[in-house]
Every structure is written in C-alpha cells, then in structure tokens.
Amino acid sequence: MAKYLNQKPVLVAVDCIIFGYDGEQLKLLVIKRAIEPVKDKWSLMGGFIGDEENLDGAAKRILLELTGLHDVYLEQLHAYGRPDRDPIERTISVVYFSLIDINKYSKQINDQFHAEWFKLAEVPELIFDHNEMVQAAMDKIRYQAALHPILFELLPKKFTIPQLQSLYEQVYDTPIDNRNFIRKITASGLLIKQTEKDKSNSRRGAFYFKLDKNKHKAQFQSFLNFIPKSTK
Amino acid sequence: MAKYLNQKPVLVAVDCIIFGYDGEQLKLLVIKRAIEPVKDKWSLMGGFIGDEENLDGAAKRILLELTGLHDVYLEQLHAYGRPDRDPIERTISVVYFSLIDINKYSKQINDQFHAEWFKLAEVPELIFDHNEMVQAAMDKIRYQAALHPILFELLPKKFTIPQLQSLYEQVYDTPIDNRNFIRKITASGLLIKQTEKDKSNSRRGAFYFKLDKNKHKAQFQSFLNFIPKSTK
DNA sequence: GCAAAAGTGTTGTCAATACACCCATGC
DNA sequence: GCATGGGTGTATTGACAACACTTTTGC
C-alpha cells in the first residue's frame, strides 16, 4: 500500500465520559488507570483505536467493556490534541460522552477497572486534560438538554416527575417551578403515565411514567425549551 | 521517552471547511488536491498535524495558508475516522469549519492551491468523505445560527439589512418576513446604523450597518432566536 | 411617472412566568 | 391528626407571526 511520505503518525485514543443518574444525584464514572504513567490515578475510561475500527465503534467498544451496555446514548464531544497532553507519547484523544441508566449498569458492574461513580461536585482530579473534557461535556449537555430531550437517557424505564425535575435542576443548578415544569413536560407528550406509584419518597407516592419512545425519537430534533429563561 | 507498547499510530489530518458570502450567495472554498492519490480532484483544504502543533493551531495554520487570514471564526466540527476513508493510509481527520468575509479573502487570493469558490448548491464531488463533512458543517451552522449571531462573521464590516436577511434566507432555505426580521435584529441591539447607504441594489439605497462587536461578544452565548419557528 | 427595492405598525395568538393551596397517605 | 412530599389552576405578560402599504430616487 502506498503511503504519504514524511508524515509522522501519532496515537489516537478514544475516551468516554460516562454520566449516570441514580434518581438523586448526577454522577460520573471514572476508573483507576491501569497503566503507567500515572498508574492508579483517576481517569476517564479510554483506549486506543483499533486497526479496523472507526471512532464511533471504538467508543462503543470502550463503553461496553466498562459497563456491559449496548445501545446507549453516545455522542462525539470534541477532539483534543495538545502536543504535551499525554507526557508519554503524542496522543490525540477523541472524546465521547454517554448518558446511561445507572441501574442497568450496576447489575453488570465490572470491578476489573476499579471503576467508581462520583457526584459531579466531587469529581476528583483526573489525569491529563480529562477534567477539562468533563467540564466541556457538562457544558454541552446543558446546551443540548435545554432544547432536546436527552436527559431521559439517564432515567430508568419507569421514573417519576419529581425525579425528572430534580435531574433538570441539578444539570442547570437552578430551582424550577414544579407547576410550570409539569405543564411543559406533559405538553410535550413524551410521557406515558403508569398506574403504579413510587412510594419510596413520600406517603402519597408519585406516579411512575414511561417515555414514549416513538415521540421521543420524533421530537428529538425539534427544539423544546425545557429550561425557563432567566427573567433576570 | 517511554512509549505505549503495541499501539499502532495513525496519521492525523486537519481539514477546513471554509464558507464565504459575497453579499448574494453563500459559498464554499475548495482546492484542487495537489498530491496523489486523486490528484487534481476537488478537496477540502487540509494538512497533517505538525509535531508541535495542537489541533486548533493546525486549523489556523491551514486556513492562513489558503486564505492569508488570521483571526477568523473557526470551530471544531467533528472527527472522522473510518478505517478506509483515505485509501492510501489510515488517517483520522479532525474537521473545522470557518466563516470568513469573502472580500477580505479575495484581496489575498492564493492561486497556488487552485482554490475555487462554489455556490453551496453547486459544490462538486469532493474526495473521500469530504462532501459528508460539508453537509455536517451546514447542519451545524443552521443549528448555531438559529441561536447565536455567527452569520455576522460572513459579512464585511459594513453591510445592509437586506444582505443580512438574504444570508439567513439562504442558510435556512426559507423566506423570512422582512418586518419581523428587522424588528428582531434591531431589538438585539447588535447593529449600529451608519449614515451612508448602499445604492448598488436599489435607487433608494439601503443603509449600511456595522456590528457592535462588544455586544456581539457579550451576547454570543445567549440564545437569540433569529429564525421564525415554523408555524406548521 | 414609474419601476424596484427599502422601510414601516398593528393585531391576535400562544407560550412562558409568577404565584399558593389542597391532596393523599403512613405513621 | 399531622407531617411530608405530590399534584393542581389562573392571571398576566411578552414574544412571535401574520399581514400590506408607503417611501425613495434614478432613470
């Protein structure tokens, strides 16, 4: 096979930023890095791209390795390439972020990587530029979630509206009026009310809802405006 | 320097999608590829990343080489990495798009690359996955421009409101009511009316405006809603 | 005086916010 | 019966879209 002359190849890694929501707290999944340098420091889950793999494929593989999950929300965030970002060897990192149902995960948790969930406010120092990547992912999620129903990806099959609202409140770090929130959410038509209630948080209980997956897909690209504009 | 073992490095290229607006038509700048394979086919301007360069730096360099322009709007779009996307050698491409004032460019046009502007509707077949990249860039611009004042980057220092409106109409391929458009634009406070008129398009003439750069920066992150929501 | 583009106002509708009380239930 | 979180309704405001005519001026 012909080659481009005089070009210096570099390593290409794919790193995955994995968010989960346990019904109370938005969390980030990180691992203890298994290889030198900075072995045993906290790190995003990542890996080098395989010979016959495209970028999305590598991200899916890495996510599967760590969580056992297929078919989860995964989106390319950004490519990072500072020459010195990895002190060992020039490495470009293409970063993905993923939103998963933390309950699905915990059934298949894999201790091999010494993975741990951290509350977003308590994420430890990560290797290289990984903290910067997490920050960028949160910014992007805030951007996306204001217009598209991506946060549903974090919820279990059945969830309550207070859970959903609390998730939005955490992502935007702002209190949301529950009457207006419920009105918007129900107006979107994305939810299907169940007959059962979740009684774990109150005596009265909160109705469970399921996501209408068809409507979710159909409306994914439309702009929905879930977040109140600050009235200043 | 220590190295990661058993990892196969690959080439990393940066490609630039360059948009310009001549006051009438939104256009894309492409070049005739100078090297084999597919020499002399139309291609995005690109290059391999340098040893001491980060990705943004490489994009700026490539843009400067082709246009002679510094300090233009430049944003990372996406990384592409299909194993077979470049038939010669495995190459990951990190793609940027850029919005420039086509008039500034033409003063410094550089024939060395056999560059040519194409109307968006008439972009020829490009090499590899470059057409797909251009499509993705247009999608992203539509997304961004609905909320942020990025399209001003395409205009000369002085421009008229009909020019601006026509640009929006092209980007969204839809007619826009001029009364509502003017109201929104003036309400944004981004424009400073000049005393001169552009008489090239009508006997009456259209007032020139300048962009208020401070307000433009300040409001860049806020959501502005320039595009009418389809009333369906 | 007329052609050709620029510019200007009003109205109705809908969506968003602000805001406070009753409901259901387990103890 | 009371404490706890869940759920509900209304009034006001502001933003948006729809819509058609007058203005300017070079020829």
Side-chain angles (χ1 to χ4, degrees):
Chain A
M1 188 162 91
K3 293 278 184 177
Y4 293 113
L5 296 176
N6 303 321
Q7 298 302 337
K8 201 166 167 183
V10 297
L11 293 181
V12 172
V14 170
D15 290 306
C16 288
I17 302 176
I18 303 167
F19 292 102
Y21 179 61
D22 61 9
E24 303 205 332
Q25 291 280 336
L26 188 59
K27 290 181 173 172
L28 178 73
L29 185 62
V30 295
I31 62 167
K32 276 211 168 147
R33 182 171 156 104
I35 56 174
E36 292 294 353
V38 293
K39 187 165 180 294
D40 290 336
K41 300 283 183 202
W42 293 113
S43 160
L44 295 174
M45 179 76 181
F48 294 102
I49 191 169
D51 257 14
E52 317 233 310
E53 224 177 18
N54 64 23
L55 293 164
D56 290 3
K60 279 180 196 158
R61 168 177 57 82
I62 289 162
L63 202 64
L64 178 64
E65 281 174 19
L66 181 58
T67 66
L69 295 176
H70 295 275
D71 298 325
V72 294
Y73 187 82
L74 189 62
E75 180 178 335
Q76 192 186 111
L77 176 66
H78 198 78
Y80 291 81
R82 275 211 334 268
D84 59 347
R85 55 173 296 282
D86 183 325
I88 294 308
E89 190 171 349
R90 180 84 198 255
T91 306
I92 307 292
S93 168
V94 181
V95 180
Y96 285 73
F97 74 88
S98 162
L99 307 175
I100 70 171
D101 174 1
I102 206 169
N103 305 301
K104 269 198 204 155
Y105 166 79
S106 48
K107 289 174 202 148
Q108 321 202 24
I109 190 162
N110 192 334
D111 273 343
Q112 171 185 0
F113 299 100
H114 305 284
E116 203 160 310
W117 288 100
F118 286 93
K119 295 181 197 173
L120 268 191
E122 296 169 9
V123 170
E125 190 179 334
L126 306 176
I127 62 166
F128 307 164
D129 46 6
H130 288 194
N131 288 94
E132 179 191 342
M133 295 168 175
V134 172
Q135 186 58 49
M138 271 310 297
D139 290 346
K140 181 143 191 187
I141 287 171
R142 261 190 290 270
Y143 194 96
Q144 296 262 72
L147 302 166
H148 307 290
I150 60 168
L151 296 186
F152 293 92
E153 307 284 348
L154 289 160
L155 293 166
K157 270 192 194 125
K158 293 177 186 178
F159 52 88
T160 66
I161 289 191
Q163 273 174 354
L164 181 64
Q165 180 174 341
S166 151
L167 175 55
Y168 273 92
E169 287 176 335
Q170 276 183 63
V171 169
Y172 291 95
D173 192 26
T174 184
I176 300 177
D177 181 279
N178 70 333
R179 288 164 293 190
N180 293 335
F181 183 76
I182 291 171
R183 186 178 310 116
K184 275 191 200 178
I185 292 290
T186 51
S188 76
L190 290 171
L191 298 192
I192 306 171
K193 195 173 194 170
Q194 307 301 111
T195 48
E196 316 137 72
K197 286 181 163 187
D198 167 22
K199 299 222 169 186
S200 59
N201 289 306
S202 74
R203 313 203 189 291
R204 182 179 180 179
F207 279 105
Y208 280 116
F209 288 81
K210 277 188 184 174
L211 185 62
D212 184 328
K213 290 202 177 168
N214 291 328
K215 286 200 182 158
H216 184 244
K217 258 191 194 165
Q219 295 189 22
F220 199 83
Q221 287 310 324
S222 62
F223 289 31
L224 286 169
N225 246 34
F226 286 124
I227 301 307
K229 289 174 187 165
S230 69
T231 324
K232 202 174 35 180
Chain B
M1 188 162 93
K3 294 276 184 178
Y4 293 112
L5 296 176
N6 303 320
Q7 298 302 336
K8 199 165 170 184
V10 297
L11 293 181
V12 173
V14 169
D15 291 306
C16 288
I17 301 175
I18 303 168
F19 292 102
Y21 179 61
D22 62 8
E24 303 205 333
Q25 290 281 336
L26 187 59
K27 290 180 172 173
L28 178 73
L29 186 61
V30 296
I31 63 168
K32 277 212 167 147
R33 182 170 157 105
I35 56 176
E36 292 293 353
V38 290
K39 188 164 182 292
D40 291 334
K41 300 283 182 201
W42 294 112
S43 160
L44 295 174
M45 179 74 182
F48 294 103
I49 192 169
D51 257 16
E52 317 233 312
E53 223 176 20
N54 62 26
L55 294 165
D56 290 2
K60 279 180 195 156
R61 167 177 57 81
I62 288 162
L63 202 63
L64 177 64
E65 282 175 19
L66 181 58
T67 66
L69 295 176
H70 293 276
D71 298 324
V72 294
Y73 186 83
L74 189 63
E75 181 179 334
Q76 193 187 111
L77 176 66
H78 199 77
Y80 291 81
R82 274 210 337 266
D84 59 348
R85 55 174 295 283
D86 183 326
I88 294 307
E89 189 172 350
R90 178 85 197 252
T91 305
I92 307 292
S93 169
V94 180
V95 180
Y96 284 74
F97 74 89
S98 164
L99 307 176
I100 71 171
D101 173 1
I102 208 168
N103 305 301
K104 270 198 203 154
Y105 165 79
S106 47
K107 287 173 202 147
Q108 320 200 23
I109 190 162
N110 192 333
D111 271 343
Q112 171 185 359
F113 299 100
H114 307 282
E116 202 159 309
W117 289 100
F118 285 93
K119 293 181 198 172
L120 269 191
E122 297 170 6
V123 170
E125 191 180 335
L126 306 176
I127 62 166
F128 306 164
D129 45 6
H130 287 194
N131 287 95
E132 178 191 345
M133 295 169 176
V134 172
Q135 186 57 49
M138 272 309 297
D139 290 346
K140 181 144 190 186
I141 287 171
R142 262 190 290 270
Y143 194 96
Q144 297 262 74
L147 302 166
H148 308 290
I150 60 169
L151 296 185
F152 293 92
E153 307 284 349
L154 289 161
L155 293 166
K157 269 190 194 125
K158 294 176 185 178
F159 53 88
T160 66
I161 290 191
Q163 271 174 356
L164 181 63
Q165 180 175 341
S166 150
L167 175 55
Y168 273 92
E169 288 177 334
Q170 275 184 63
V171 170
Y172 292 95
D173 191 26
T174 184
I176 300 177
D177 180 279
N178 68 334
R179 288 163 292 189
N180 293 334
F181 183 77
I182 291 171
R183 186 181 309 116
K184 274 190 200 179
I185 292 290
T186 52
S188 76
L190 290 171
L191 297 192
I192 306 170
K193 195 173 194 168
Q194 307 302 109
T195 48
E196 315 137 72
K197 286 182 162 187
D198 167 21
K199 299 223 169 185
S200 59
N201 289 305
S202 74
R203 313 207 188 291
R204 183 178 179 178
F207 280 105
Y208 280 115
F209 289 81
K210 277 187 182 174
L211 185 62
D212 184 329
K213 291 204 177 167
N214 291 329
K215 287 200 183 159
H216 184 245
K217 258 191 195 169
Q219 294 188 23
F220 198 83
Q221 285 311 322
S222 63
F223 289 32
L224 288 170
N225 246 34
F226 286 122
I227 301 307
K229 289 173 188 167
S230 71
T231 323
K232 201 175 34 177

